[in-house]
Amino acid sequence: MACHDHCNSHATASLLNRRNLVVALASTTMLSAVELSASNAQAENAAPAQSTASAEDIRFMKIALNEARRGDYPFGAVIVKDGKILSLGRNLGKTHDDPTAHGEMVAIRRCLSVHGSAALKGATLYTSGEPCVMCMGAIIWCGIGRMVYAASVAQIGEKMNQIMITSADIAAKAPWDPIKITGGLLADEAVPILAR
């Protein structure tokens, strides 16, 4: 009788272990599916919009491209609010011996020095190239509401060294301060500037 009870309890324990394993695997699969769904939704919210550009968008991007042509490296930016230019910036890394003097950073610093941080809240930043990790971080921390870029990180990476993380990837990690991103505006004009 004791052997029968021992065998039955062993069989029951084995069955429970298999059942626990199946439940655990099913739970893990469900959690992974939920996390993937949430991750996809977050990425979609930060993904660059590919919409028809307004005449104003084109006008300001052309100004950013002109700044890029004048920079130490071919990057330029313009910060705009309510249709008015708050500041311009072009890469001044060599001129100032400052590796952080990217076009976007120069435009942000100039805007801060003249208008203060409140002016950046909800502003639009136009840039000739999709911002690097440093610049995109600064754009988010400043509360800029929209960012429009010409050449993408992938296009920049074909011409020069670039940290291959997109602005949408960075924005997706900062859901507390959503930003609208429009990508590829006048990229056909920006890419040749990168080759200089």
Side-chain angles (χ1 to χ4, degrees):
M1 189 75 173
C3 179
H4 183 268
D5 288 341
H6 176 70
C7 290
N8 278 343
S9 69
H10 181 67
T12 303
S14 179
L15 179 61
L16 286 174
N17 286 340
R18 276 187 251 143
R19 184 178 298 148
N20 290 343
L21 179 62
V22 169
V23 169
L25 287 173
S27 298
T28 303
T29 302
M30 292 291 286
L31 284 174
S32 295
V34 169
E35 289 170 356
L36 181 61
S37 175
S39 175
N40 287 342
Q42 203 175 31
E44 285 173 13
N45 288 340
Q50 299 294 336
S51 59
T52 305
S54 70
E56 187 173 79
D57 285 339
I58 292 169
R59 179 168 69 94
F60 291 127
M61 184 57 77
K62 285 188 176 284
I63 294 169
L65 292 171
N66 284 335
E67 285 297 304
R69 289 181 184 98
R70 300 172 58 208
D72 293 343
Y73 294 95
F75 298 100
V78 181
I79 298 175
V80 177
K81 192 168 187 180
D82 300 324
K84 296 179 184 168
I85 295 175
L86 298 180
S87 65
L88 303 173
R90 62 181 175 272
N91 189 296
L92 296 173
K94 290 179 188 173
T95 301
H96 294 304
D97 191 28
D98 178 358
T100 70
H102 293 192
E104 300 93 334
M105 297 297 288
V106 171
I108 288 169
R109 290 173 184 152
R110 287 178 176 170
C111 185
L112 288 169
S113 70
V114 175
H115 304 286
S117 64
L120 290 168
K121 304 288 185 213
T124 298
L125 185 143
Y126 295 86
T127 178
S128 62
E130 186 172 6
C132 71
V133 175
M134 173 186 69
C135 293
M136 191 62 194
I139 289 165
I140 290 169
W141 286 119
C142 289
I144 291 171
R146 181 173 179 234
M147 188 271 297
V148 183
Y149 66 83
S152 69
V153 162
Q155 290 169 315
I156 296 167
E158 290 175 3
K159 305 289 183 186
M160 63 185 67
N161 292 336
Q162 176 67 1
I163 299 172
M164 300 304 287
I165 301 175
T166 68
S167 55
D169 289 339
I170 298 162
K173 302 295 185 190
W176 68 87
D177 203 355
I179 182 170
K180 293 178 183 170
I181 299 172
T182 303
L185 178 63
L186 301 182
D188 57 331
E189 292 184 34
V191 172
I193 298 171
L194 296 172
R196 72 175 177 108

